[in-house]
Amino acid sequence: MFSCWLSRLYWALSKPTGRTKPLIWGSLSRSLVLSSQRRIPELSSFVARTNTCGELRSSHLGQEVTLCGWIQYRRQNIFLVLRDFNGLVQVVIPQDESAASVKKILCEAPVESVVQVSGIVISRPPGQENPVSHLETKMPTGEIEIKVKTAKLLNSCKKLPFEIKDFLKKTEALRLQYRYLDLRSSQMQYNLRLRSQMVMKMREYLCNLHGFVDVETPTLFKRTPGGAKEFVIPSREPGKFYSLPQSPQQFKQLLMVGGLDRYFQVARCYRDEGSRPDRQPEFTQIDIEMSFVDQTGIQSLIEGLVQYSWPNDKDPVVVPFPSMTFAEALAGYGTDKPDTRFGMKIVDISDVFRNTEVRFLQDALSKPQGTVKAICIPEGAKYLKRKDIESIRKSAADRFKQEVLPVFLKASRNWNSPVGKLIMEEQGLQLIRLLEVQEEDVVLLTAGEREKACSLLGKLRLECADLLEAGGVVLRDPALFSFLWVVDFPLFLPKEENPKELESAHHPFTAPHPSDVHLLYTEPQKVRSQHYDLVLNGSEIGGGSIRIHDAELQRYILATILKEDVKLLSHLLQALDCGAPPHGGIALGLDRLMCLITGAPSIRDVIAFPKSFRGHDLMSNAPDSIPPEELKPYHIQVSWPTDPEAEKSSLNHPCHPES
Amino acid sequence: MFSCWLSRLYWALSKPTGRTKPLIWGSLSRSLVLSSQRRIPELSSFVARTNTCGELRSSHLGQEVTLCGWIQYRRQNIFLVLRDFNGLVQVVIPQDESAASVKKILCEAPVESVVQVSGIVISRPPGQENPVSHLETKMPTGEIEIKVKTAKLLNSCKKLPFEIKDFLKKTEALRLQYRYLDLRSSQMQYNLRLRSQMVMKMREYLCNLHGFVDVETPTLFKRTPGGAKEFVIPSREPGKFYSLPQSPQQFKQLLMVGGLDRYFQVARCYRDEGSRPDRQPEFTQIDIEMSFVDQTGIQSLIEGLVQYSWPNDKDPVVVPFPSMTFAEALAGYGTDKPDTRFGMKIVDISDVFRNTEVRFLQDALSKPQGTVKAICIPEGAKYLKRKDIESIRKSAADRFKQEVLPVFLKASRNWNSPVGKLIMEEQGLQLIRLLEVQEEDVVLLTAGEREKACSLLGKLRLECADLLEAGGVVLRDPALFSFLWVVDFPLFLPKEENPKELESAHHPFTAPHPSDVHLLYTEPQKVRSQHYDLVLNGSEIGGGSIRIHDAELQRYILATILKEDVKLLSHLLQALDCGAPPHGGIALGLDRLMCLITGAPSIRDVIAFPKSFRGHDLMSNAPDSIPPEELKPYHIQVSWPTDPEAEKSSLNHPCHPES
């Protein structure tokens, strides 16, 4: 319910941050200065009210106040609960004859109507403090109520499709269709206000503390080579199109060439991925670029940024963040974005089985990159049911073409595990030692090509974590925010459709790792990059790199290694030739970050007007048809599909129901 | 030149604001608190340098520093001027044998190459302070120089198309093509940094002082009714298009319905106007909306906003801003955006000629709305040449189909003024009194329908101001910023193509003036609105209104008066029915505002990567062709024009040369 959340938020924001570890480069003292000087904003300036509903306390007793808000609830035509963005307050409806018109207004206005009331703050009769029993939480204004003198109906509300407080229980399609009602819920108000406050603190950190310049870059741009996910915008010149860029990458680099030195932007970006759940066609990133910086510099900047802007109602963030190489992440967690809030790491047990007689293990180990790997699920025997294990084995076989075997300490429980009986006692002891197996644990074992085995176990690790938590184990503390840098990515990856050719692992402007530059000309697939990802609780929330500032190197990578058409990027290559400083940067995904911080089930809950799975605005019904004559100035016409199947597949969306 | 501008900027920003007049509603004390607490940002955190070039002073003597920057200039292989965004510093190239490698680097690197140097800050020999004679202004680092120990070439610069310092002299097309070089000029650095700082201060005012919530609204939206200037974006559904909105108007109103209470956004907006000089297809507005507010509230908010964010190197802004009705503006200045920095107001002199025998004045006065109007140009007889007057008369006749007559006090100078001789002495004296004519002044007189006469004289007033200033008269002080509210606009205007029908003067969500609501149903053309414009030095820099919050009224205006298809806005009408609070807002044009403040010749000078007149990005060559197969997923194809003339007119651009 609307209750203490907002006053808590403002209170939290006005507290000193109470940081414990000093930021490097002296930014701590500054940040403490700013934070402790923060004032609670004036919420009733310039408007008809004297106070917000949620701020009234015993300290306001006897004051004459004017409030504006929505009728949340009415009890027996005697009390009325008035709501605004800042909370709830109880209003006493006058019962005497002389106030008949006030009573009429307050008793007849439907719930969710907008009223303005003036009156005196009085204390509630003894025993009636916080009596609003239908509210789930304590009412911060519960010691007082308003004795109304005058009331004005500002806008009457027609019958709503449903009550505001029930909104979060409704289907998401309905919430999106009536987004303007959904926004009245305390959760959406909290999410959007916290987002605004965090972005503001990020701006203070970047702009006021570290001299970054907020530069707006264009969104009507030229298609980038291979930019298959870019929306196109027809111009008034026949056959000429703008493109909505996926990020300001080129512009931020050009700003460095232009000597801007330190750039940031809360940048709107666009990506047309057809339909993917939990992706939005437009999204926001905190976009940053610096000159004369190295990887450590960017990492320290971002650690300071997160620490400075972190909500004060959460546990403080500890810096520096731990760091892990891509190779370590893959080996230990089977993914490049490990969730480090819990263990169950992948362990290489190949050596245990070097001389095994188990045939499929032998086979696997004899192949190049062949390994045997395992994870140990603590108390798995207690929490994983037989059908869980079977479903795991089946999905591994079906989806990953890989066999997974469960191994139990107690041989009696080795359901369906042909390997159980074949493990020698010596091997069993080695497994117990390597995996630190306890009595009730389950070991999941797989064999095969190294990357595939790790990737599979990485997925099983998360699945098993879900299963354990469904059983009541607290594995991932919701109050814990586990940041992690992942570094030393490969610069190139084999193309999926033709593994003999290489493509950029991230983007073609990423600089190679200084130790690996010589390999570019001999074994480019072995070159590591100066790319870094920021991971939070197993989600990638940011990524960046030191960029190539040497035109020759950039040209070589584009033309010789990636075989791209260099002409399309000639302006960038030319810019690098004109005295480009060494530079690097990063982009943080704001929607995802806010989603993790607020614990929202979807990024749509931290965006005011999100699109549905299928990219629709369910409120206004966008995208919509346009009459052909309005397309004429743009020299385009619709090609109506003749084959309904082709149309279907072009939409390329899984079967997510939409209203 | 790069010199003191940046340190001045930072110094100015770190000063207390020195405001003289208190803001209403107690925001002054807060703003003073925040301003005086502002610290100079740390400009060398996280990077390879210890200091910026421009910050070094005598107080740094003896310090060992590391600098990174561009070689601006080299003198006889002895001195080198190093530049970064913060200024210039002189570096002494070591001449001794042991430092041969350092000398080689610093002497061989081409101008605009990027170098890193380390050395000691020493004082310049007596008599050689500030000796950089080729610089136009005093060098703030002129008392010191750097005795270099080590140097590193970070990136060599190929031959540039021209020198950086000459950039502003080049054609704009060339500057846009090499924007990354143009950005290195001190003027562009100043403009972009000031823009960033002002926006940051606006955010502090809105977010930290007054509790506004920064909410990002979508740019992929549904076409608004009559949104002929909206870019279209094909979606992956055949025939369905998104639209890039001209402003977040609908969303900000829906946020108020959603109880957000106070919203702001530095919003990217889009308008496809083909080609118009000094317009950009994408632009930025400070977008604001509040609940429970009236016109006075919004005006006070904005006055405080401008005052708080105003650059400290300019004279402080005085609030409240003066206000003028639309009718007064038209009558006195012939425009709805009067430049109030100078007089020369339009005066109605109809009464002087009520009984005239001059035929064309008689004719004009006998018609409905017929008037005789005049402006008095001070010292016009001295500064306006005969050919100026003739050109004025000719352009009035050609462009406005209206006769303009010059009248001089000295009858001998009444060139080409048939009316001069016909003015009776009594009439002459009345003119002198009404127009406060002095000996050397010229009166420009016209007769005709009221609005047309005013509009013509309004234009002549500005033309004559240009002519006077060309003659050396200081009429519009460049240090003077003259803000003005224009209020009480008409709610509707007759449609140009069919004057019997009405269209919204601004947009259909504008609320009628409370005193005029009854006229809606009888004489809607007479209804004034609650719209307000903010004008600065004769340019409109903002506009807003109190909105309609009553669904019935909104429906009546849309359907009955404007004859719009109500279905297209059904979501908004439905929202108004669900307890919409009274609300209003405003949008400030950031590009125009920055252009006026910096005194830039064009809004393109306050935008990092602007488009050309024709909407082109001259650096990357956007918009560009796209292969047909990349259009396929969007179910569109290009309709190539068959008639080359049609193509030309569709581009609809005047003959502005582009490179």
Side-chain angles (χ1 to χ4, degrees), chain B residues 420-450:
Chain B
K421 319 177 189 75
L422 298 173
I423 295 178
M424 309 287 141
E425 195 183 333
E426 173 60 18
Q427 290 170 333
L429 289 173
Q430 281 184 312
L431 283 186
I432 290 172
R433 190 172 46 79
L434 283 170
L435 287 153
E436 299 174 12
V437 189
Q438 310 261 328
E439 177 85 8
E440 288 285 315
D441 298 354
V442 177
V443 170
L444 292 182
L445 175 153
T446 193
E449 191 271 323
R450 192 173 51 87

Side-chain angles (χ1 to χ4, degrees), chain A residues 216 223 237 262 284 630, chain B residues 45 216 223 284 616 630:
Chain A
E216 298 163 70
R223 202 158 177 80
E237 288 175 66
R262 299 174 167 222
T284 304
E630 294 193 14
Chain B
S45 46
E216 299 163 68
R223 202 156 177 82
T284 304
H616 287 186
E630 295 193 15

Side-chain angles (χ1 to χ4, degrees), chain A residues 373-634:
Chain A
K373 303 264 185 185
I375 56 173
C376 172
I377 300 150
E379 298 189 278
K382 195 166 144 197
Y383 292 103
L384 268 56
K385 300 188 181 63
R386 185 167 183 150
K387 75 168 170 43
D388 294 333
I389 300 276
E390 279 181 16
S391 133
I392 283 170
R393 293 194 62 190
K394 190 167 177 326
S395 98
D398 293 354
R399 282 158 54 205
F400 303 100
K401 313 274 172 261
Q402 202 139 342
E403 181 124 33
V404 172
L405 298 177
V407 183
F408 297 80
L409 266 195
K410 290 185 190 159
S412 63
R413 303 182 72 166
N414 263 345
W415 323 299
N416 293 325
S417 180
V419 80
K421 320 175 187 76
L422 299 173
I423 294 177
M424 309 287 141
E425 195 184 333
E426 172 60 20
Q427 290 171 333
L429 290 173
Q430 280 184 313
L431 283 186
I432 289 173
R433 191 174 44 80
L434 283 170
L435 288 154
E436 299 174 10
V437 189
Q438 312 261 327
E439 177 85 5
E440 288 286 314
D441 297 355
V442 178
V443 169
L444 292 182
L445 176 155
T446 194
E449 191 269 324
R450 192 173 52 86
E451 274 192 32
K452 273 182 72 180
C454 287
S455 170
L456 170 62
L457 287 179
K459 288 185 179 80
L460 294 185
R461 175 178 174 266
L462 295 177
E463 272 181 43
C464 292
D466 288 343
L467 290 168
L468 291 182
E469 287 189 340
V473 182
V474 179
L475 210 60
R476 295 167 288 198
D477 177 0
L480 190 67
F481 291 91
S482 194
F483 286 93
L484 175 76
W485 290 109
V486 179
V487 300
D488 290 356
F489 283 83
L491 185 55
F492 307 110
L493 292 174
K495 277 188 189 170
E496 238 172 77
E497 63 278 18
N498 177 5
K500 282 188 182 158
E501 290 183 6
L502 294 176
E503 62 186 5
S504 296
H506 293 93
H507 60 60
F509 315 115
T510 311
H513 196 289
S515 331
D516 296 355
V517 174
H518 62 285
L519 294 172
L520 269 178
Y521 308 94
T522 52
E523 295 173 288
Q525 72 283 1
K526 288 198 178 164
V527 177
R528 288 166 304 162
S529 71
Q530 294 192 64
H531 179 94
Y532 28 85
D533 267 354
L534 183 58
V535 173
L536 171 57
N537 293 354
S539 287
E540 182 199 323
I541 55 159
S545 59
I546 302 304
R547 327 295 184 185
I548 297 167
H549 65 271
D550 180 272
E552 273 323 300
L553 180 59
Q554 184 68 76
R555 207 171 274 122
Y556 177 79
I557 287 180
L558 282 171
T560 309
I561 299 187
L562 299 173
K563 317 225 182 313
E564 291 278 5
D565 182 358
V566 177
K567 273 205 301 293
L568 288 168
L569 287 168
S570 59
H571 55 285
L572 189 75
L573 289 166
Q574 203 168 19
L576 294 184
D577 260 336
C578 291
H583 61 287
I586 195 167
L588 303 181
L590 182 63
D591 307 300
R592 173 78 47 208
L593 177 63
M594 291 312 306
C595 184
L596 292 169
I597 291 175
T598 58
S602 150
I603 57 166
R604 290 181 296 281
D605 292 312
V606 296
I607 297 173
F609 298 100
K611 302 282 192 296
S612 72
F613 291 129
R614 286 172 60 186
H616 287 186
D617 180 316
L618 298 184
M619 185 179 62
S620 73
N621 192 31
D624 205 357
S625 309
I626 285 191
E629 67 269 20
E630 294 193 14
L631 297 177
K632 252 191 189 156
Y634 300 109

Side-chain angles (χ1 to χ4, degrees), chain B residues 358 360 393 403 405-406 414-423:
Chain B
V358 184
F360 91 100
R393 294 194 62 189
E403 179 125 33
L405 299 176
N414 263 344
W415 323 299
N416 294 323
S417 181
V419 81
K421 319 177 189 75
L422 298 173
I423 295 178

Side-chain angles (χ1 to χ4, degrees), chain B residues 544-588:
Chain B
S545 60
I546 302 304
R547 327 296 183 185
I548 297 167
H549 64 272
D550 180 88
E552 274 323 299
L553 178 60
Q554 184 69 76
R555 207 171 274 121
Y556 177 80
I557 287 180
L558 283 171
T560 309
I561 299 186
L562 298 173
K563 315 223 184 317
E564 290 279 4
D565 182 357
V566 176
K567 273 203 302 292
L568 289 168
L569 287 168
S570 59
H571 55 285
L572 188 75
L573 289 166
Q574 203 167 20
L576 295 184
D577 260 336
C578 293
H583 60 287
I586 194 166
L588 303 181

Side-chain angles (χ1 to χ4, degrees), chain B residues 180-403:
Chain B
Y180 45 87
L181 295 179
D182 189 32
L183 290 175
R184 293 182 191 169
S185 70
S186 59
Q187 191 60 56
M188 281 306 302
Q189 291 270 335
Y190 177 80
N191 292 355
L192 294 183
R193 282 166 197 274
L194 184 68
R195 178 178 177 133
S196 168
Q197 292 289 354
M198 273 196 74
V199 171
M200 187 64 200
K201 284 164 108 187
M202 289 183 185
R203 292 177 178 281
E204 288 172 5
Y205 175 85
L206 292 168
C207 206
N208 295 350
L209 301 188
H210 293 289
F212 279 74
V213 188
D214 180 3
V215 180
E216 299 163 68
T217 59
T219 55
L220 297 178
F221 193 46
K222 182 197 175 93
R223 202 156 177 82
T224 35
K229 288 172 178 170
E230 289 175 3
F231 287 101
V232 296
I233 304 173
S235 76
R236 287 175 188 249
E237 288 175 68
K240 297 290 179 79
F241 293 80
Y242 298 106
S243 201
L244 292 173
Q246 292 186 50
S247 89
Q249 183 63 34
Q250 289 188 45
F251 290 111
K252 64 200 241 184
Q253 293 194 239
L254 291 167
L255 286 171
M256 294 306 105
V257 180
L260 254 288
D261 199 65
R262 301 175 165 220
Y263 144 90
F264 87 101
Q265 183 181 196
V266 181
R268 190 71 58 89
C269 303
Y270 300 85
R271 196 181 293 147
D272 179 19
E273 305 194 278
S275 308
R276 283 181 58 180
D278 234 27
R279 290 282 180 109
Q280 288 282 313
E282 50 186 319
F283 57 97
T284 304
Q285 66 187 37
I286 311 291
D287 199 49
I288 291 175
E289 197 81 7
M290 288 175 89
S291 295
F292 310 111
V293 76
D294 61 10
Q295 182 164 323
T296 319
I298 297 281
Q299 289 177 334
S300 301
L301 171 83
I302 295 304
E303 286 160 0
L305 175 78
V306 170
Q307 196 178 46
Y308 184 83
S309 61
W310 197 247
N312 292 33
D313 59 352
K314 311 263 179 253
D315 289 340
V317 166
V318 177
V319 298
F321 301 151
S323 185
M324 193 182 282
T325 67
F326 171 76
E328 287 165 351
L330 202 67
Y333 299 90
T335 173
D336 59 357
K337 34 181 189 284
D339 188 339
T340 48
R341 286 175 297 178
F342 65 102
M344 290 168 55
K345 283 179 66 173
I346 301 168
V347 176
D348 190 309
I349 50 171
S350 305
D351 286 347
V352 179
F353 295 102
R354 287 282 170 225
N355 303 312
T356 185
E357 284 170 25
V358 184
R359 188 54 181 268
F360 91 100
L361 296 180
Q362 257 186 358
D363 282 358
L365 286 171
S366 65
K367 288 186 186 140
Q369 305 278 341
T371 54
V372 184
K373 304 263 184 186
I375 55 174
C376 171
I377 300 151
E379 299 190 277
K382 194 165 145 196
Y383 291 103
L384 268 55
K385 300 188 184 63
R386 185 168 184 147
K387 75 167 168 46
D388 294 332
I389 299 275
E390 278 179 17
S391 132
I392 283 170
R393 294 194 62 189
K394 191 168 176 325
S395 97
D398 293 354
R399 283 157 53 205
F400 303 99
K401 313 275 172 259
Q402 202 140 340
E403 179 125 33

Side-chain angles (χ1 to χ4, degrees), chain B residues 527-639:
Chain B
V527 176
R528 289 166 304 163
S529 71
Q530 294 193 64
H531 179 95
Y532 28 85
D533 268 354
L534 183 58
V535 172
L536 172 56
N537 292 353
S539 287
E540 182 199 324
I541 56 159
S545 60
I546 302 304
R547 327 296 183 185
I548 297 167
H549 64 272
D550 180 88
E552 274 323 299
L553 178 60
Q554 184 69 76
R555 207 171 274 121
Y556 177 80
I557 287 180
L558 283 171
T560 309
I561 299 186
L562 298 173
K563 315 223 184 317
E564 290 279 4
D565 182 357
V566 176
K567 273 203 302 292
L568 289 168
L569 287 168
S570 59
H571 55 285
L572 188 75
L573 289 166
Q574 203 167 20
L576 295 184
D577 260 336
C578 293
H583 60 287
I586 194 166
L588 303 181
L590 182 62
D591 306 302
R592 173 77 48 208
L593 177 63
M594 291 313 305
C595 184
L596 291 169
I597 292 176
T598 58
S602 150
I603 58 166
R604 290 180 297 281
D605 292 313
V606 296
I607 297 172
F609 298 101
K611 303 281 191 296
S612 72
F613 290 129
R614 286 173 57 187
H616 287 186
D617 180 316
L618 299 183
M619 185 180 62
S620 73
N621 192 31
D624 206 356
S625 309
I626 285 191
E629 66 270 19
E630 295 193 15
L631 297 178
K632 254 194 188 154
Y634 300 110
H635 308 280
I636 56 166
Q637 52 182 309
V638 176
S639 327

